[in-house]
Amino acid sequence: IIEKCLLCGNKTYPILELGETALANEYPTYPTKQDVFPLTLTQCRDKVDCGHIQLNCIVDQKRLYQNYSYLSGTSFANHEYFRNYANQINEMFNLDDSTLIFEIGSNDGTLLEKFKEINLNHLIGIDPAENICEIANNKNIQTISEFFNESTANKLSRMWEFRNSAKIVIANNVFAHNSDLET
């Protein structure tokens, strides 16, 4: 339970309490009792300079993501959206086959697949879910199973000869459960 704003460190106060809930992607075997967590929305007391709204409960990232069950590639709508997304990025930045594209929180590699479809092949995904990284790697989307942080960034930059040359770094919806926004 956190009582300070994740952005500025000021105290927060509750604005909406929705009780408790089990984790969305955790499926225990019956008859195991599921852990529940509070869903309390809080707001930073400094409404003038900050006013950030956040949940007051942070669940351990390893518990949430190392054996994740959501696959972005199971949705037809995601495939269409990611195809358009990749094409727009390609057009905006005039990419070529030498372009390195990193995706943080790449899930099963569905977005990176769309870059591959337009002949962009220097693609690296990073995702903490080992089970999902295996799916991406089986689709020939190079994916590393790690949480992305400064240590991982340094490690990755040493692993490739095109060090510090990523032209595109994508991070879709990766801050949702991050309790340390500074690193």
Side-chain angles (χ1 to χ4, degrees), residues 46-159:
D46 183 358
K47 289 185 183 179
V48 174
D49 292 322
C50 186
H52 180 66
I53 296 174
Q54 65 195 34
L55 290 174
N56 76 335
C57 180
I58 301 293
V59 178
D60 180 81
Q61 292 177 337
K62 288 180 180 177
R63 182 170 181 178
L64 286 172
Y65 295 114
Q66 283 196 313
N67 190 24
Y68 201 58
S69 61
Y70 174 76
L71 299 174
S72 55
T74 59
S75 164
F76 175 77
N78 275 353
H79 280 275
E80 288 304 305
Y81 174 77
F82 287 149
R83 182 173 290 112
N84 291 333
Y85 187 157
N87 285 325
Q88 285 180 338
I89 289 174
N90 185 35
E91 290 170 16
M92 285 175 68
F93 297 102
N94 195 26
L95 305 178
D96 60 45
D97 190 41
S98 67
T99 301
L100 173 61
I101 300 171
F102 272 115
E103 185 182 9
I104 301 166
S106 58
N107 197 267
D108 65 0
T110 301
L111 173 57
L112 293 175
E113 274 184 308
K114 303 312 172 197
F115 285 104
K116 198 172 219 179
E117 288 173 7
I118 54 176
N119 296 317
L120 299 170
N121 295 301
H122 294 296
L123 311 168
I124 300 169
I126 302 157
D127 197 281
E130 294 171 7
N131 59 322
I132 292 177
C133 289
E134 185 177 342
I135 293 167
N137 282 310
N138 286 339
K139 297 190 295 187
N140 292 319
I141 302 295
Q142 185 175 6
T143 307
I144 294 121
S145 180
E146 298 267 349
F147 282 99
F148 189 78
N149 53 33
E150 186 176 1
S151 172
T152 305
N154 289 332
K155 178 177 155 184
L156 293 173
S157 71
R158 289 189 302 270
M159 288 174 70

Side-chain angles (χ1 to χ4, degrees), residues 3-5 10-16 40-48 50-56:
E3 297 176 355
K4 291 187 176 184
C5 176
N10 282 316
K11 284 234 177 234
T12 59
Y13 65 94
I15 58 173
L16 180 63
T40 302
L41 203 59
T42 62
Q43 184 170 21
C44 178
R45 289 197 182 277
D46 183 358
K47 289 185 183 179
V48 174
C50 186
H52 180 66
I53 296 174
Q54 65 195 34
L55 290 174
N56 76 335

